Amino acid sequence: MDFEDKDILNQRLEPSPGVLYVVGTPIGNLGDLSPRAKSLLQKVSVIACEDTRHSGHMLKHVGAKATLLSFYQHNARHRLSQLLELLKGGESLALISDAGLPGISDPGETLIHAARKAGHNVICIPGPCAATTALVSSGLPCNRFCFEGFLPSKDKTRKELLARIADENRTTVIYESPHRLVKLLQELNQFCGAERPLQIARELTKLHEEQIGPTIGDALQHFLENKPIGECTLVLGGAPQHLETVQLSQQELVAEMKVLIAEGASSNDAAKAIAQKYGQSKRSLYSLLHDIKTNNGK
Ligand code: SAM
């Protein structure tokens, strides 16, 4: 990664007129606001925030002087045209949410979409996000993952999604509020089983940050004994890969390996393929083949 002088220069030139800046803000620790985000929030003319009173504290702390406009689910339609007009008039506009990255289980997506559609440049000033922060600190595989945000509350849709999550091989990240956490853990217990790996990141970046796990059963037990408080993000381990569950005799395993060898595979590759297919040890299948060859040679 290159960090050049021009990056610092860019920061000095920001904000540009008519650009929508999507700014990541802390998820609990004010020290996580980047210098670039701070400088931009000090210089833009208008800041759209989910809740002006909530963000007012952080914005006062950074010395922002911009006009604050609320932008949330229920006024989005009415506010959208006003914000687009401001961009058209050459104002610089920053979009923030109560915490983290706007658009990630927070309002923002509609404004970003509308600004792009109207031909305005949209620039994201990256910052903290609970989903990725919880994921990378969970110790669970994070090279491929799914993000579900908050699960739907409607019974049928929720059950269908829980069944899909239970079958998902990739790590899944879920948001939940503390007062619904135990219900979600009971459902995960029912759909995925108590032994499925789960790490719950509580109060990330804050003084009392903690991790609860390492399985669904352990987390459920913990929160039945300790009332959930604070913000929680769940990181659920993927479903184990389905292996052929059929139990084959040694002769049958050898026969399958011989078919692969007759098709041109090496003994090593045949043992590897059948080991993966039936969840067996490659080494023991390879020696099985070797023993048969030796015995036949006698
Ligand atoms: N836009 C935010 C982001 O980028 O992370 C997410 C906003 S969403 C409305 C709020 C949810 O994020 C919370 O219910 C919780 O699941 C998760 N969350 C936010 N802050 C957190 C923190 N400090 N620790 C753990 N989870 C957090």
Side-chain angles (χ1 to χ4, degrees):
M1 199 180 302
D2 268 353
F3 297 104
E4 298 174 22
D5 288 349
K6 75 170 161 45
D7 297 325
I8 296 170
L9 187 66
N10 265 349
Q11 191 176 317
R12 271 195 225 123
L13 294 175
E14 283 170 343
S16 296
V19 173
L20 171 64
Y21 291 90
V22 181
V23 184
T25 59
I27 54 170
N29 189 325
L30 274 182
D32 292 334
L33 185 75
S34 76
R36 184 179 170 208
K38 184 174 173 184
S39 149
L40 186 109
L41 292 172
Q42 287 166 345
K43 291 193 247 165
V44 281
S45 43
V46 180
I47 301 176
C49 32
E50 216 178 325
D51 177 341
T52 51
R53 264 195 305 180
H54 175 96
S55 296
H57 169 67
M58 186 269 295
L59 292 170
K60 194 170 167 210
H61 172 83
V62 304
K65 308 227 164 35
T67 305
L68 305 189
L69 290 178
S70 63
F71 180 76
Y72 53 92
Q73 199 188 347
H74 299 295
N75 77 351
R77 230 163 45 145
H78 141 81
R79 211 38 126 203
L80 207 56
S81 49
Q82 186 186 0
L83 294 172
L84 290 176
E85 273 309 306
L86 288 171
L87 284 173
K88 201 168 151 196
E91 298 283 354
S92 53
L93 175 62
L95 168 69
I96 61 172
S97 64
D98 281 353
L101 273 181
I104 303 297
S105 298
D106 267 344
E109 202 180 304
T110 44
L111 175 60
I112 297 164
H113 176 76
R116 279 218 174 278
K117 206 168 154 202
H120 296 290
N121 203 2
V122 178
I123 293 177
C124 176
I125 303 204
C129 173
T132 47
T133 309
L135 176 70
V136 297
S137 44
S138 69
L140 290 163
C142 43
N143 53 347
R144 295 170 69 237
F145 67 95
C146 307
F147 174 63
E148 290 294 351
F150 293 97
L151 300 194
S153 53
K154 222 173 122 208
D155 199 45
K156 185 167 176 280
T157 341
R158 187 175 176 93
K159 286 209 165 85
E160 282 167 5
L161 184 55
L162 279 162
R164 280 213 300 280
I165 290 173
D167 275 346
E168 174 57 60
N169 297 132
R170 293 167 292 180
T171 303
T172 299
V173 181
I174 304 171
Y175 285 160
E176 189 51 290
S177 76
H179 62 275
R180 286 191 297 259
L181 184 64
V182 168
K183 175 180 183 264
L184 175 60
L185 289 173
Q186 284 164 337
E187 291 168 322
L188 289 174
N189 195 38
Q190 184 194 340
F191 280 81
C192 310
E195 293 310 310
R196 177 77 70 89
L198 175 78
Q199 264 324 115
I200 299 185
R202 198 181 80 80
E203 297 288 78
L204 283 164
T205 77
K206 302 181 196 175
L207 197 59
H208 299 293
E209 167 166 355
E210 64 172 340
Q211 292 275 336
I212 297 110
T215 65
I216 293 177
D218 295 324
L220 179 57
Q221 181 72 29
H222 174 92
F223 284 111
L224 285 172
E225 287 164 12
N226 305 277
K227 187 171 183 263
I229 23 177
E231 301 199 88
C232 291
T233 297
L234 292 81
V235 184
L236 178 71
Q241 300 280 348
H242 284 304
L243 296 170
E244 294 271 353
T245 48
V246 204
Q247 291 295 316
L248 295 189
S249 67
Q250 288 195 339
Q251 286 91 330
E252 286 167 319
L253 289 167
V254 169
E256 285 216 24
M257 286 190 283
K258 281 188 172 169
V259 170
L260 296 179
I261 292 167
E263 286 169 1
S266 66
S267 303
N268 193 43
D269 286 344
K272 189 174 168 192
I274 299 305
Q276 277 172 357
K277 184 171 174 187
Y278 295 109
Q280 302 260 345
S281 136
K282 179 190 144 195
R283 188 193 289 253
S284 56
L285 288 179
Y286 186 81
S287 34
L288 196 62
L289 263 182
H290 180 76
D291 290 349
I292 284 173
K293 267 195 210 157
T294 321
N295 291 339
N296 286 349
K298 272 181 189 167

